[in-house]
Amino acid sequence: EKAMTQSPATLSVSPGERATLSCRGSQTVYNNLAWYQQKPGQAPRLLIYGISTRATGIPARFSGSGFGTEFTLTIDSLQSEDSGVYYCQQYDDWPLTFGHGTKVEI
Amino acid sequence: QITLKESGPTLVKPTQTLTLTCTFSGFSLTTSGVGVGWIRQSPGKALEWLALIYWNDDTFYNSPLKKRLTITKDTSKNQVVLTVTNMDPVDTATYFCAHVESRYKQYFDLWGRGTLVTVSS
């Protein structure tokens, strides 16, 4: 199993600042990495797939980078509606696995 | 517009079998490459992928749970069904179904709202 580890567990940032979230794989997942945002009581929403491709309707302030085992989700000019928990997911191999999430507080 | 909606019991007793249905619209599970997966989330916990079925009936399961899971589809009804046998209180979770657009890109681009299942006697 390719375990995904996210850091930090919680990130407190002010509006307008930049947030940097990390996701590390126990083995390489190449470019098969997605990011999701989840708000309380809601389903996750796909933000990024293929490391850096934004999903439909996702603002340009969300960007992804990295390769292999180290990945980053960057949120520029944070807005209040960006608060939530962010998960990374690898889809390089079975079983599909998610990280434990980073909670972004604004 | 793609939508998915989970349905099933909100409360099950330990050792019982849980049957959840995902009813979807806006796509067909007869389209090459398309799949539907199930993911669950225990209260306050992370996401856990459970199972996935493709248009061609290929199925994949999370290994530790494989013996207890069965995923099937009914294309005529636009439904995917997940059964989980021998339910335990640790299986208490919100269960989501989600759409996969490609056989080789198993990320979930659209999700249902989820259904909370509590396991208690």
Side-chain angles (χ1 to χ4, degrees):
Chain A
E1 174 177 314
K2 296 189 177 184
M4 308 303 292
T5 302
Q6 292 187 243
S7 61
T10 303
L11 186 61
S12 297
V13 291
S14 300
E17 291 186 340
R18 168 182 289 181
T20 302
L21 288 66
S22 296
C23 173
R24 172 179 292 180
S26 62
Q27 305 171 57
T28 182
V29 300
Y30 302 97
N31 66 338
N32 299 306
L33 192 283
W35 290 94
Y36 301 85
Q37 176 196 63
Q38 187 179 33
K39 299 184 178 183
Q42 297 185 16
R45 175 175 71 148
L46 177 68
L47 298 175
I48 301 273
Y49 61 91
I51 298 179
S52 59
T53 303
R54 282 188 299 277
T56 303
I58 302 303
R61 65 178 183 275
F62 291 90
S63 62
S65 62
F67 188 78
T69 61
E70 301 281 347
F71 304 93
T72 299
L73 175 69
T74 303
I75 313 171
D76 287 317
S77 303
L78 271 160
Q79 301 183 10
S80 58
E81 64 260 34
D82 297 333
S83 62
V85 181
Y86 291 78
Y87 295 94
C88 61
Q89 179 226 332
Q90 68 81 19
Y91 51 94
D92 185 68
D93 199 3
W94 306 100
L96 308 178
T97 49
F98 293 86
H100 282 82
T102 291
K103 184 177 183 179
V104 174
E105 299 176 333
I106 302 172
Chain B
Q1 178 188 3
I2 290 176
T3 64
L4 305 99
K5 185 176 182 179
E6 306 85 352
S7 59
T10 58
L11 178 66
V12 298
K13 291 179 168 38
T15 75
Q16 287 186 335
T17 294
L18 170 68
T19 299
L20 294 173
T21 300
C22 175
T23 303
F24 56 85
S25 63
F27 68 96
S28 173
L29 256 180
T30 62
T31 301
S32 179
V34 172
V36 172
W38 285 92
I39 305 99
R40 72 179 179 182
Q41 186 172 38
S42 300
K45 302 291 186 179
L47 301 163
E48 178 183 30
W49 169 71
L50 299 176
L52 198 154
I53 188 165
Y54 282 106
W55 86 103
N56 61 354
D57 286 323
D58 280 352
T59 57
F60 297 86
Y61 296 96
N62 197 336
S63 300
L65 297 165
K66 186 173 182 178
K67 291 182 180 179
R68 300 174 51 212
L69 300 175
T70 303
I71 188 170
T72 58
K73 64 181 176 64
D74 185 332
T75 54
S76 66
K77 295 181 179 179
N78 280 351
Q79 291 181 334
V80 171
V81 175
L82 178 74
T83 61
V84 187
T85 61
N86 195 24
M87 290 290 284
D88 183 271
V90 300
D91 296 313
T92 293
T94 296
Y95 288 75
F96 299 97
C97 64
H99 173 264
V100 171
E101 66 174 0
S102 168
R103 173 64 177 85
Y104 300 103
K105 297 178 181 178
Q106 296 93 349
Y107 55 82
F108 303 99
D109 59 345
L110 289 158
W111 297 59
R113 299 183 68 174
T115 185
L116 176 61
V117 178
T118 301
V119 184
S120 175
S121 56

